[in-house]
Amino acid sequence: MNQKKATKRGSLLAKILGGDLFLQLIRKKFIYILLGLGLLLMRIIFSYRDERVLIQIDHIRDSIAIKSMISQELETELQQLGRPSELYDKIKQQGLDLEQSREVPGVIYVDKEED
């Protein structure tokens, strides 16, 4: 009886070392192995595609942030150029004979002439 157990252990060990057990397992579960490899391949493909989309989104966000900063900078420059003191200085540099009004603007009424 001990000899049968020893031969079974020996044959099991021989099958493991020889690769027969592994080949039998692969033959029995071949479809499941193919299915697992297919699912793994699909996951890799979809992950790659998702990463590309995320990288594009990051580039677009960076571009939007840069354009927003440029827009704010231009808006600040425009506000500085439109200040009355800046306009007055430019008029003086041009040598024009204009003076800054000290009165509040009023409403001008124009009478329409009917034909």
Side-chain angles (χ1 to χ4, degrees):
M1 184 138 162
N2 284 337
Q3 211 171 18
K4 286 185 179 181
K5 286 184 181 180
T7 56
K8 284 184 182 178
R9 285 183 188 164
S11 65
L12 181 62
L13 186 60
K15 282 183 178 181
I16 291 173
L17 293 177
D20 292 335
L21 189 64
F22 184 67
L23 286 175
Q24 287 176 0
L25 182 66
I26 288 177
R27 285 181 189 147
K28 287 181 182 177
K29 307 293 183 187
F30 186 70
I31 292 177
Y32 297 116
I33 292 171
L34 282 180
L35 181 63
L37 289 175
L39 290 174
L40 182 65
L41 182 66
M42 286 175 42
R43 174 157 169 74
I44 291 170
I45 289 170
F46 290 138
S47 296
Y48 176 73
R49 186 192 60 173
D50 292 343
E51 278 297 317
R52 278 195 341 212
V53 170
L54 289 174
I55 289 170
Q56 288 175 350
I57 289 171
D58 285 342
H59 287 309
I60 290 171
R61 282 184 183 162
D62 292 343
S63 172
I64 289 171
I66 290 170
K67 289 178 181 174
S68 174
M69 286 187 285
I70 291 171
S71 172
Q72 288 175 355
E73 185 178 316
L74 291 174
E75 186 177 336
T76 303
E77 288 178 14
L78 185 61
Q79 286 177 352
Q80 287 177 350
L81 290 175
R83 291 189 344 207
S85 60
E86 289 288 326
L87 292 174
Y88 187 70
D89 289 342
K90 284 187 180 183
I91 289 171
K92 290 297 180 188
Q93 285 176 358
Q94 296 279 331
L96 298 175
D97 208 17
L98 298 174
E99 291 186 23
Q100 190 172 4
S101 174
R102 305 268 187 243
E103 297 177 6
V104 178
V107 179
I108 300 174
Y109 294 103
V110 177
D111 293 333
K112 290 186 179 179
E113 293 181 13
E114 293 186 25
D115 293 330

